[in-house]
Amino acid sequence: MLNMIKRLLEMLFPWNNNTNSRSHAKSRLKLIIAHDRASINPDMMEAMREEILDVVARYVEVDREEMEFSLCNDQRMTSLTANLPIRQIKRMCELKEQIKENKSLDLQQIEITEIELEAEVKPNKTSI
Amino acid sequence: MSRIIVVTSGKGGVGKTTTTSNLGAAIAKQNRSVALIDADFGLRNLDLLLGLEERVVYTAIDVLAGECRLAQALVKDKRLKGLVLLPAAQNRNKESVQPEQMKKIATALAKGYDYILIDCPAGIELGFRNAISAAQEALIVTTPEVAAVRDADRVIGLLEAEGVNKINLIVNRVKPWMVEENKMMSVEDVLELLGVPLIGVVPDDEKVIVATNKGEPLVLGEYDSLPAQAYLNIARRLEGEKVPFLDLMANQGNLLTRLRRMFGG
Ligand SMILES: Nc1ncnc2c1ncn2[C@@H]1O[C@H](COP(=O)(O)OP(=O)(O)OP(=O)(O)O)[C@@H](O)[C@H]1O
Ligand SMILES: [Mg+2]
């Protein structure tokens, strides 16, 4: 009898019980689907890896052999982790040289990065 | 231009055959010609759901073996003008057909019908590859359950890889009262996860099972029922019509939900 009353109350006030299996299902699926998609599509992962590497390699010299690139799942989220050991950071003039060659890049955007880079470099110089 | 559409899901038992038969009948009801292909070799069911099992003489295998012409194997539905079924063989296994052969049959049928609906078997093996070989479009059937949604996502990925990019989703067996109580994922939840356009929502309804028992598609006997409306709406949306989705909760205004609303739920 007590059980029946409890069930009735639960039916009347579903927000009282915290067994929200709907959101549970959804969050579990989000994770598992992200993982499935990544593992079905190694071509896409490889393409993404190459593209990211190309962008990074414009600015710094990375060790392509030593790098790691992986999709990880923990309890709450799926994340893309790229571990790119840097051999050397390029000089500004080298960068400009490359940019001239690569016409697809927006020169204006590069100007901005240059300023920012310099700003970061300055304190270093003074400390020497 | 005729359209070749595969009805698929990955997971078994989510309602592919039920969808193919009822949607096929709904399309015919809209005065379009439609050929249904049962691609579930060895486990044919589509003839049963349509109530055509006694009239099956030849199957797709006989056509492929050259034992009859394609037109001879087609079973015409006497209740619905323009609806025909190409039955699958029951005594052979899935391995007896190859994707190229299925493609030949579907393409040949496309010359004579507005729609070709292919009822895909469960799984992602040869039977699946056969069923999708000729498809230009896909209808993904899923239920709002974790395993079905996961498999649906997998199948969508495989279809995209095969160049089938026109993919629409049917969410089947929705129980609105469970969604309201947060015990089942909503159609919106499923859509958000799968990221393909929605073309239909079919409630979980006893009438679907009763119609199956009788071998009578819903649009024939129970045409004003909610699930029959749902199938008719899918048929109209396939034609490009903008049809609002049914309010599945409308008929669920029982004492319990009304009480709950009174309490501000
Ligand atoms: N909307 C619905 N409401 C109630 N019952 C349903 C509904 N849709 C399907 N069913 C039931 O679910 C069961 C499985 O349906 P069906 O045979 O169409 O699935 P399937 O995906 O074709 O299965 P398989 O993978 O074995 O081919 C049947 O008993 C059917 O009556
Ligand atoms: Mg089936």
Side-chain angles (χ1 to χ4, degrees):
Chain A
M1 186 62 197
L2 214 69
N3 243 338
M4 261 180 68
I5 294 173
K6 196 175 157 225
R7 259 190 69 81
L8 187 73
L9 277 175
E10 265 183 16
M11 281 202 278
L12 283 169
F13 305 102
W15 53 91
N16 278 349
N17 61 28
N18 43 16
T19 55
N20 182 340
S21 69
R22 170 185 172 183
S23 58
H24 208 118
K26 201 175 165 187
S27 56
R28 286 175 64 209
L29 269 169
K30 261 191 193 151
L31 262 179
I32 199 70
I33 283 178
H35 201 254
D36 283 352
R37 281 184 194 171
S39 56
I40 303 177
N41 214 329
D43 288 353
M44 205 182 84
M45 285 292 282
E46 184 57 29
M48 181 161 68
R49 197 177 84 124
E50 288 303 316
E51 266 181 70
I52 290 177
L53 261 179
D54 285 347
V55 172
V56 175
R58 256 183 240 147
Y59 299 91
V60 296
E61 206 176 294
V62 286
D63 192 336
R64 291 207 175 219
E65 303 294 294
E66 289 294 306
M67 58 155 288
E68 285 166 31
F69 195 83
S70 62
L71 205 71
C72 321
N73 267 336
D74 69 21
Q75 288 300 307
R76 287 170 54 242
M77 60 187 279
T78 304
S79 60
L80 178 71
T81 312
N83 204 337
L84 312 172
I86 295 174
R87 283 217 190 104
Q88 202 172 16
I89 306 210
K90 291 192 178 169
R91 279 191 177 284
M92 208 55 228
C93 56
E94 268 184 284
L95 216 64
K96 271 189 174 161
E97 214 37 59
Q98 275 184 346
I99 286 150
K100 259 182 230 155
E101 284 163 29
N102 192 345
K103 288 181 186 101
S104 68
L105 283 176
D106 192 331
L107 271 178
Q108 239 177 335
Q109 238 178 320
I110 296 305
E111 261 356 289
I112 296 165
T113 20
E114 183 177 359
I115 293 161
E116 279 173 3
L117 271 179
E118 272 179 351
E120 262 177 62
V121 171
K122 256 175 200 158
N124 243 346
K125 274 185 183 163
T126 45
S127 68
I128 288 168
Chain B
M1 250 279 284
S2 79
R3 294 162 70 176
I4 306 179
I5 308 174
V6 64
V7 179
T8 183
S9 68
K11 186 165 163 27
V14 297
K16 295 175 292 295
T17 308
T18 306
T19 303
T20 310
S21 61
N22 282 295
L23 180 59
I27 292 173
K29 198 95 194 268
Q30 307 274 90
N31 295 318
R32 290 293 191 165
S33 60
V34 51
L36 309 181
I37 301 181
D38 190 343
D40 203 345
F41 290 90
L43 289 170
R44 81 165 185 232
N45 283 150
L46 194 52
D47 53 337
L48 267 178
L49 265 64
L50 289 161
L52 298 175
E53 71 277 10
E54 305 221 320
R55 298 187 30 229
V56 173
V57 182
Y58 297 110
T59 69
I61 297 281
D62 300 315
V63 178
L64 289 172
E67 276 159 33
C68 70
R69 283 177 295 112
L70 180 55
Q72 283 177 295
L74 298 177
V75 184
K76 289 197 178 68
D77 193 318
K78 288 175 181 158
R79 303 158 299 185
L80 278 163
K81 199 173 147 282
L83 179 67
V84 300
L85 165 72
L86 178 63
Q90 177 68 342
N91 55 347
R92 310 275 185 97
N93 58 10
K94 288 174 188 168
E95 280 68 47
S96 51
V97 186
Q98 292 297 313
E100 272 313 305
Q101 297 178 302
M102 276 295 285
K103 196 168 177 176
K104 225 183 254 171
I105 289 186
T107 325
L109 277 175
K111 294 194 183 100
Y113 295 86
D114 297 323
Y115 285 89
I116 314 296
L117 293 191
I118 304 169
D119 180 20
C120 184
I124 50 173
E125 294 83 38
L126 183 59
F128 169 75
R129 280 189 281 123
N130 280 335
I132 69 163
S133 62
Q136 304 149 338
E137 304 174 38
L139 292 174
I140 304 289
V141 182
T142 188
T143 60
E145 285 167 64
V146 282
V149 173
R150 181 195 192 172
D151 289 0
D153 191 76
R154 184 89 204 275
V155 161
I156 293 168
L158 292 172
L159 284 166
E160 281 175 340
E162 290 296 318
V164 182
N165 291 314
K166 200 166 171 188
I167 300 173
N168 284 293
L169 183 70
I170 296 175
V171 185
N172 189 26
R173 307 201 76 161
V174 176
K175 297 181 178 167
W177 62 95
M178 280 188 78
V179 177
E180 185 148 276
E181 291 175 6
N182 280 326
K183 285 178 180 160
M184 180 182 259
M185 282 188 289
S186 69
V187 174
E188 291 74 25
D189 294 338
V190 177
L191 269 183
E192 189 191 320
L193 288 160
L194 292 179
V196 292
L198 180 71
I199 198 167
V201 179
V202 183
D204 188 85
D205 197 313
E206 289 175 10
K207 292 197 184 79
V208 175
I209 296 166
V210 174
T212 311
N213 291 342
K214 293 197 252 179
E216 183 181 73
L218 284 152
V219 293
L220 285 175
E222 292 277 358
Y223 59 90
D224 55 358
S225 69
L226 212 54
Q229 275 306 312
Y231 289 116
L232 277 169
N233 286 351
I234 299 172
R236 288 168 63 192
R237 289 186 198 110
L238 278 174
E239 288 283 305
E241 252 184 87
K242 289 250 178 307
V243 189
F245 288 92
L246 295 173
D247 177 13
L248 298 184
M249 225 36 223
N251 288 351
Q252 306 293 334
N254 56 22
L255 182 66
L256 216 58
T257 49
R258 263 179 280 147
L259 265 176
R260 201 179 292 140
R261 280 191 197 113
M262 264 169 55
F263 285 109

